[in-house]
Amino acid sequence: MVIVRAILGSLILFFDWLFTPRGVKRDSDAQKQLDAQTSGLTLYQYKACPFCVKVRRAIKRQSLAIETRDAKRCDSARDELVAGGGRLKVPCLRIEEASGESRWMYESGDIIRYLEGRFGQAA
């Protein structure tokens, strides 16, 4: 089973790299404003998880600068995810509210809908 997962994970990453979506082109001021808005967002993910790849591709299509943390290979990221979100499940988007509180959003479809609703439709 480990070998099958390794092969499938490698294929997922290869095809993700091969068919990387193009991002939205914005003028530098608009992109800087958007980058400031996304500074409070963090995506907890596994590199080869197909649902995480789906979210990362949506982020790329919208040219969003969202920090990603690998909860599989980084113990501190895994601990943050479990402590804040309550469970070790990816993808998970941590949303820092203006009040300083964090909201944790699971499920790739919900994350993509949130990003499209907040930052506009993907190109």
Side-chain angles (χ1 to χ4, degrees), residues 72-114:
K72 187 172 194 168
R73 292 188 172 90
C74 180
D75 291 337
S76 62
R78 180 177 27 252
D79 295 343
E80 289 172 14
L81 177 59
V82 172
R87 53 191 167 159
L88 182 60
K89 181 180 174 187
V90 293
C92 181
L93 183 68
R94 184 182 73 192
I95 305 163
E96 292 288 327
E97 303 289 351
S99 64
E101 293 183 24
S102 294
R103 191 165 48 122
W104 299 79
M105 182 180 294
Y106 292 92
E107 301 299 330
S108 59
D110 293 341
I111 293 169
I112 292 168
R113 277 190 294 280
Y114 169 79

Side-chain angles (χ1 to χ4, degrees), residues 16-29:
D16 180 42
W17 171 79
L18 188 63
F19 299 108
T20 300
R22 293 184 184 199
V24 174
K25 299 289 183 193
R26 299 180 182 91
D27 64 66
S28 62
D29 290 336

Side-chain angles (χ1 to χ4, degrees), residues 3-61:
I3 294 171
V4 172
R5 284 186 184 183
I7 292 170
L8 287 177
S10 296
L11 284 172
I12 288 169
L13 292 175
F14 173 73
F15 284 113
D16 180 42
W17 171 79
L18 188 63
F19 299 108
T20 300
R22 293 184 184 199
V24 174
K25 299 289 183 193
R26 299 180 182 91
D27 64 66
S28 62
D29 290 336
Q31 189 63 48
K32 284 180 186 176
Q33 276 186 335
L34 191 61
D35 292 348
Q37 292 175 21
T38 60
S39 65
L41 301 177
T42 306
L43 179 68
Y44 292 83
Q45 46 103 36
Y46 295 164
K47 192 75 172 164
C49 164
F51 299 105
C52 299
V53 169
K54 180 179 172 182
V55 172
R56 288 195 313 264
R57 291 175 67 82
I59 290 169
K60 174 73 174 166
R61 277 192 300 274

